[in-house]
Amino acid sequence: MTQTIAKKNESVKHLPRLTTVSNDRLSKQKVVYQVEGFNLWYDETHALKDIELSVYDREITAIIGPSGCGKSTFLKSLNRMVELIPSVKTSGDISYQGNRILDKHFKVEQLRTKVGMVFQKPNPFPKSIYENIAYGPKIHGIKNKKILNQIVERSLRDAYLWDEVKDRLNENAYGLSGGQQQRLCIARALAIEPEVILMDEPTSALDPVSTSKIEELIQELKSKYSIVIVTHNMQQAARISDRTAFFLNGEIIEFDLTESLFSNPSDQRTEDYITGRFG
Amino acid sequence: MDHNVNQESINVQELIQQKSMSQKVSHKIGKMIPSILFLFAAVSILTTVGIIYTLLSEAIEFFKIVPIWEFFSSTTLKPLSQNPEFGILPLINGTIISSIIAILVAGPVGLMAAVYLSEYASDRVRRLLKPTLEVLAGIPTVVYGFFAFTFVTPIIRSVWPDVEATNILSPGIVMGIMIIPMIASLSEDALTSVPNTIREGALSLGATKLETTFKVVIPAALSGVIASFVLAISRAIGETMIVTIASGSSKNFTFDITESMQTMTAYIVEVSSGDAAAGTPIYYSIYAVAIALFVMTFVMNLLARAISRRFREEY
Ligand SMILES: Nc1ncnc2c1ncn2[C@@H]1O[C@H](COP(=O)(O)OP(=O)(O)O)[C@@H](O)[C@H]1O
Ligand SMILES: [Mg+2]
């Protein structure tokens, strides 16, 4: 990591604290994702440069940075959705639970069954609320109506949507409000009980009330899932995440415990960004 | 600007006033434009009304000779016999059977072509294939008719000797080939209008590309796909040359696709190109058949519109 001279005193000051916290938490945490020397190009555009990052079990990892710095690209690399764009080329390594997911022979469907995703704009299927949730389990072979009913109810309860929709499960999901649609999409991801949930600015299209509902929900989910969330809202990252990675121009400038990164950034650029001097 | 002009002599408001004087006339024309455009639109509506009026007035003459109930319920059509009988059912039967054969051929092939174009083909292949399909749609139907009679029928007969030289199967298949581009192109439009975010939603749940296509994309585009089928069927119902050339003019009421059958359109061609004297029952009968044909295609088109409106997805 780059160390700025101007910040030297503060970095020294915060170092001991970082280590104590780390001893508390780092040692216990299991690594879910290990990203090493990862690069990504769209044709000639070098969108991600030598990314090093670990995602820990049952933590919320926030990714912040200005628009166009590669946050979404990175997130979509974690479930290989980025490959839907034909011009993409990668190098380096991403392992998920010890498996190198960039290997040619690695089955992406298997990965995506374990790693759910919630998108920036709610994208429910043009089907009923029930069918939206049941879709994932169904394609993975669960046909039993009784089991499906249970899955639907449980997923909707976990996404705090059940009470709002229990009487209209057969209505089209497009009749829900934006915030409800996004919680439906979270419930849809939960229905196949993944281990990790990737979220790309899940609240950027929502009003403040829906946003705080979803923030609460995300913190609730932490007890069962590892979560990686992209946000360009720094307050959100500070409020809900355990660790934060600051991206700038396709590079990770700083990756640290959220508390440390926001109270004692070790890089001048991080400080400039979180104090709102750019971005 | 000309700097010789005395700056103070320019009064913009005055200039605008002068302009607006001369614009009074064009303003009047401007007011008339909606009425003029309405006239143009009215021409097409009036033409339709005129056609319906002609058909109806002649058909009414026909129904004075042949009771309307008999016409729509009799399975015997012998217009040229000593004691002519006019039952439209053999013609409706021929029309429906040939259209069913056509849609059985064109439905699956056209939909799969659309799926390939919208979900699998690279941009380069798509740019090559779409115009090719459109060329196929531009072939004159008389060419398809000869293709059915001189090429497809002999092939069918070589593997299935029971098939007669003129039969409904061959033109049915060729009509199917003719409407493939229509289904492919309209269905492709419906499939490509399904937003990518929905595909991503399915893929992110671990669905394969095939599962995404068949369980999310096609259902999402279903209204457009069905509407394309209905329009294609309506096109097949109205198709004339292929059946006239390749299916002969037998007026039997049968469900045997190896036999010759006549469709409503082919009957109209046969009678109107023969020398039926005006005022005879056989002359009037083509108007009655035409009315029935008109109603059938009209209903199909209404159905297509209703389907695409009823099930329109708001993405
Ligand atoms: N489909 C694409 N094709 C080409 N370049 C892309 C594509 N998507 C993103 N990029 C480029 O990659 C960089 C990172 O984009 P992105 O990951 O979307 O940033 P962020 O999510 O941080 O706003 C940007 O410079 C963008 O222009
Ligand atoms: Mg983004």
PDB file of all heavy atoms in Angstrom, chain A residues 166-179:
ATOM      1  N   LYS A 166     -48.050 -11.316   1.480  1.00  0.00           N
ATOM      2  CA  LYS A 166     -48.567 -12.678   1.671  1.00  0.00           C
ATOM      3  C   LYS A 166     -49.953 -12.889   1.056  1.00  0.00           C
ATOM      4  O   LYS A 166     -50.297 -14.002   0.699  1.00  0.00           O
ATOM      5  CB  LYS A 166     -48.560 -13.058   3.144  1.00  0.00           C
ATOM      6  CG  LYS A 166     -49.436 -12.187   4.036  1.00  0.00           C
ATOM      7  CD  LYS A 166     -49.512 -12.813   5.432  1.00  0.00           C
ATOM      8  CE  LYS A 166     -50.437 -12.062   6.337  1.00  0.00           C
ATOM      9  NZ  LYS A 166     -49.731 -11.084   7.173  1.00  0.00           N
ATOM     10  N   ASP A 167     -50.725 -11.817   0.903  1.00  0.00           N
ATOM     11  CA  ASP A 167     -52.063 -11.965   0.321  1.00  0.00           C
ATOM     12  C   ASP A 167     -52.089 -11.792  -1.191  1.00  0.00           C
ATOM     13  O   ASP A 167     -53.143 -11.838  -1.802  1.00  0.00           O
ATOM     14  CB  ASP A 167     -53.015 -10.929   0.945  1.00  0.00           C
ATOM     15  CG  ASP A 167     -53.098 -11.098   2.441  1.00  0.00           C
ATOM     16  OD1 ASP A 167     -53.099 -12.268   2.891  1.00  0.00           O
ATOM     17  OD2 ASP A 167     -53.131 -10.081   3.156  1.00  0.00           O
ATOM     18  N   ARG A 168     -50.939 -11.515  -1.769  1.00  0.00           N
ATOM     19  CA  ARG A 168     -50.930 -11.268  -3.223  1.00  0.00           C
ATOM     20  C   ARG A 168     -49.787 -11.991  -3.898  1.00  0.00           C
ATOM     21  O   ARG A 168     -49.203 -11.488  -4.867  1.00  0.00           O
ATOM     22  CB  ARG A 168     -50.861  -9.765  -3.490  1.00  0.00           C
ATOM     23  CG  ARG A 168     -49.800  -9.070  -2.652  1.00  0.00           C
ATOM     24  CD  ARG A 168     -49.990  -7.571  -2.624  1.00  0.00           C
ATOM     25  NE  ARG A 168     -49.516  -6.940  -3.839  1.00  0.00           N
ATOM     26  CZ  ARG A 168     -49.020  -5.697  -3.875  1.00  0.00           C
ATOM     27  NH1 ARG A 168     -48.933  -4.984  -2.763  1.00  0.00           N
ATOM     28  NH2 ARG A 168     -48.646  -5.165  -5.011  1.00  0.00           N
ATOM     29  N   LEU A 169     -49.499 -13.199  -3.433  1.00  0.00           N
ATOM     30  CA  LEU A 169     -48.363 -13.945  -3.966  1.00  0.00           C
ATOM     31  C   LEU A 169     -48.500 -14.244  -5.454  1.00  0.00           C
ATOM     32  O   LEU A 169     -47.517 -14.416  -6.154  1.00  0.00           O
ATOM     33  CB  LEU A 169     -48.194 -15.264  -3.204  1.00  0.00           C
ATOM     34  CG  LEU A 169     -47.734 -15.122  -1.752  1.00  0.00           C
ATOM     35  CD1 LEU A 169     -47.658 -16.486  -1.086  1.00  0.00           C
ATOM     36  CD2 LEU A 169     -46.375 -14.437  -1.699  1.00  0.00           C
ATOM     37  N   ASN A 170     -49.763 -14.320  -5.935  1.00  0.00           N
ATOM     38  CA  ASN A 170     -49.942 -14.674  -7.343  1.00  0.00           C
ATOM     39  C   ASN A 170     -50.059 -13.460  -8.256  1.00  0.00           C
ATOM     40  O   ASN A 170     -50.286 -13.592  -9.449  1.00  0.00           O
ATOM     41  CB  ASN A 170     -51.157 -15.577  -7.504  1.00  0.00           C
ATOM     42  CG  ASN A 170     -50.893 -16.928  -6.866  1.00  0.00           C
ATOM     43  OD1 ASN A 170     -49.796 -17.469  -6.987  1.00  0.00           O
ATOM     44  ND2 ASN A 170     -51.874 -17.443  -6.133  1.00  0.00           N
ATOM     45  N   GLU A 171     -49.882 -12.282  -7.663  1.00  0.00           N
ATOM     46  CA  GLU A 171     -49.904 -11.086  -8.517  1.00  0.00           C
ATOM     47  C   GLU A 171     -48.534 -10.851  -9.125  1.00  0.00           C
ATOM     48  O   GLU A 171     -47.514 -11.272  -8.592  1.00  0.00           O
ATOM     49  CB  GLU A 171     -50.317  -9.866  -7.680  1.00  0.00           C
ATOM     50  CG  GLU A 171     -51.796  -9.834  -7.400  1.00  0.00           C
ATOM     51  CD  GLU A 171     -52.163  -8.701  -6.447  1.00  0.00           C
ATOM     52  OE1 GLU A 171     -51.499  -7.654  -6.462  1.00  0.00           O
ATOM     53  OE2 GLU A 171     -53.118  -8.915  -5.666  1.00  0.00           O
ATOM     54  N   ASN A 172     -48.533 -10.128 -10.248  1.00  0.00           N
ATOM     55  CA  ASN A 172     -47.277  -9.853 -10.933  1.00  0.00           C
ATOM     56  C   ASN A 172     -46.355  -8.993 -10.071  1.00  0.00           C
ATOM     57  O   ASN A 172     -46.778  -8.020  -9.452  1.00  0.00           O
ATOM     58  CB  ASN A 172     -47.563  -9.145 -12.254  1.00  0.00           C
ATOM     59  CG  ASN A 172     -46.367  -9.187 -13.188  1.00  0.00           C
ATOM     60  OD1 ASN A 172     -45.292  -8.706 -12.847  1.00  0.00           O
ATOM     61  ND2 ASN A 172     -46.557  -9.778 -14.341  1.00  0.00           N
ATOM     62  N   ALA A 173     -45.082  -9.365 -10.074  1.00  0.00           N
ATOM     63  CA  ALA A 173     -44.107  -8.660  -9.236  1.00  0.00           C
ATOM     64  C   ALA A 173     -43.943  -7.200  -9.658  1.00  0.00           C
ATOM     65  O   ALA A 173     -43.483  -6.373  -8.878  1.00  0.00           O
ATOM     66  CB  ALA A 173     -42.757  -9.375  -9.299  1.00  0.00           C
ATOM     67  N   TYR A 174     -44.327  -6.896 -10.898  1.00  0.00           N
ATOM     68  CA  TYR A 174     -44.158  -5.520 -11.368  1.00  0.00           C
ATOM     69  C   TYR A 174     -45.124  -4.551 -10.688  1.00  0.00           C
ATOM     70  O   TYR A 174     -44.969  -3.348 -10.800  1.00  0.00           O
ATOM     71  CB  TYR A 174     -44.313  -5.454 -12.892  1.00  0.00           C
ATOM     72  CG  TYR A 174     -43.091  -5.947 -13.611  1.00  0.00           C
ATOM     73  CD1 TYR A 174     -42.497  -7.144 -13.242  1.00  0.00           C
ATOM     74  CD2 TYR A 174     -42.516  -5.225 -14.643  1.00  0.00           C
ATOM     75  CE1 TYR A 174     -41.368  -7.606 -13.878  1.00  0.00           C
ATOM     76  CE2 TYR A 174     -41.377  -5.686 -15.286  1.00  0.00           C
ATOM     77  CZ  TYR A 174     -40.817  -6.876 -14.899  1.00  0.00           C
ATOM     78  OH  TYR A 174     -39.693  -7.319 -15.525  1.00  0.00           O
ATOM     79  N   GLY A 175     -46.108  -5.105  -9.963  1.00  0.00           N
ATOM     80  CA  GLY A 175     -47.030  -4.234  -9.243  1.00  0.00           C
ATOM     81  C   GLY A 175     -46.463  -3.738  -7.915  1.00  0.00           C
ATOM     82  O   GLY A 175     -47.064  -2.892  -7.271  1.00  0.00           O
ATOM     83  N   LEU A 176     -45.306  -4.265  -7.514  1.00  0.00           N
ATOM     84  CA  LEU A 176     -44.710  -3.837  -6.241  1.00  0.00           C
ATOM     85  C   LEU A 176     -43.977  -2.505  -6.421  1.00  0.00           C
ATOM     86  O   LEU A 176     -43.606  -2.132  -7.531  1.00  0.00           O
ATOM     87  CB  LEU A 176     -43.717  -4.894  -5.752  1.00  0.00           C
ATOM     88  CG  LEU A 176     -44.282  -6.280  -5.451  1.00  0.00           C
ATOM     89  CD1 LEU A 176     -43.155  -7.256  -5.128  1.00  0.00           C
ATOM     90  CD2 LEU A 176     -45.254  -6.211  -4.281  1.00  0.00           C
ATOM     91  N   SER A 177     -43.760  -1.802  -5.290  1.00  0.00           N
ATOM     92  CA  SER A 177     -42.978  -0.567  -5.359  1.00  0.00           C
ATOM     93  C   SER A 177     -41.508  -0.913  -5.575  1.00  0.00           C
ATOM     94  O   SER A 177     -41.107  -2.071  -5.419  1.00  0.00           O
ATOM     95  CB  SER A 177     -43.124   0.203  -4.059  1.00  0.00           C
ATOM     96  OG  SER A 177     -42.375  -0.444  -3.049  1.00  0.00           O
ATOM     97  N   GLY A 178     -40.715   0.105  -5.910  1.00  0.00           N
ATOM     98  CA  GLY A 178     -39.295  -0.125  -6.170  1.00  0.00           C
ATOM     99  C   GLY A 178     -38.578  -0.795  -5.002  1.00  0.00           C
ATOM    100  O   GLY A 178     -37.831  -1.762  -5.184  1.00  0.00           O
ATOM    101  N   GLY A 179     -38.843  -0.285  -3.789  1.00  0.00           N
ATOM    102  CA  GLY A 179     -38.193  -0.859  -2.622  1.00  0.00           C
ATOM    103  C   GLY A 179     -38.630  -2.293  -2.382  1.00  0.00           C
ATOM    104  O   GLY A 179     -37.821  -3.157  -2.043  1.00  0.00           O
TER     105      GLY A 179
END
